[in-house]
Amino acid sequence: MSSQTPMHEIANLDLLKIIPSNIKYLLEVGCSSGALAREYKKINPNCVYDGLEIEDSYAQLAKRYCDNVLVGDIEFLNEVFWLKSSNIQCWIFADVLEHLKDPWGCLKKIHQILPDDGCIVACIPNIQHWSIQVDISLGNFRYQDMGLLDRTHLRWFTRKTIVELFESTGYKIVDLTGRIVEDTSRENYLSIIQRMATRAGGNASEAMQDALSHQYLVKAVKK
């Protein structure tokens, strides 16, 4: 059994929308089965879309769609990798940054080699989601095979700390959009979250809005 998040063949089409359509060189960190590469190649077939994947069995599948796939952990790759990656114009992290021990260090390394017209696009889970707040109130913080409490997550972020993550590592966020999964049961809790934020002296409407997003889609460029 893999120690990684279970592989699937479903591309994140919301993330796909914020990847520039004219990029020549892209690298997806944690490319899994290559589903996102498959869909991007339909838009921009002449690009060079490379993948980096820590799980060898996933990497073999990704080779169906990626031009090149390297098996490895981005936090332990040598300087040769970083030197060879200086032409990458778009780095893609589809639910990956939260799996890293030091996502701040990783983003700083990319910043050093990223072309001035380059960008990073990412999808990051939101630990402030209303369902997590409800579960915590009941003491139910239990890891799962996938989802917001994926047992392989090492870091957790909210909208505010996502902004801090990128700004503290030399980037400016140019697009930050929440992915909302519709669930009518949330209406039982959002007003409570709003009141709790008010009692804590915070922005109640902001707290309620930030509790809606399951994940955030991020596009960032160098400051």
Side-chain angles (χ1 to χ4, degrees), residues 52 86 90 138 140 142 169-171:
L52 174 62
S86 60
C90 182
L138 300 173
N140 295 331
R142 294 189 178 92
T169 51
Y171 299 89

Side-chain angles (χ1 to χ4, degrees), residues 80-127:
V80 174
F81 165 81
W82 294 103
L83 288 171
K84 288 184 176 180
S85 299
S86 60
N87 66 331
I88 302 298
Q89 299 163 293
C90 182
W91 292 71
I92 303 166
F93 292 87
D95 295 288
V96 169
L97 287 169
E98 66 275 10
H99 293 262
L100 304 184
K101 293 178 181 177
D102 184 11
W104 299 269
C106 179
L107 291 178
K108 285 178 181 177
K109 280 189 173 182
I110 293 172
H111 188 276
Q112 293 173 0
I113 62 171
L114 186 68
D116 290 339
D117 62 348
C119 66
I120 290 179
V121 297
C123 184
I124 303 173
N126 176 30
I127 198 64

Side-chain angles (χ1 to χ4, degrees), residues 159 162-163 173-178 216-219:
R159 179 188 59 80
I162 287 171
V163 172
I173 292 178
V174 294
D175 192 345
L176 180 61
T177 305
Y216 284 101
L217 303 167
V218 185
K219 182 179 178 182

Side-chain angles (χ1 to χ4, degrees), residues 132-148:
I132 300 296
Q133 295 192 54
V134 171
D135 280 345
I136 287 176
S137 73
L138 300 173
N140 295 331
F141 194 93
R142 294 189 178 92
Y143 297 106
Q144 301 162 0
D145 289 337
M146 59 193 306
L148 293 173

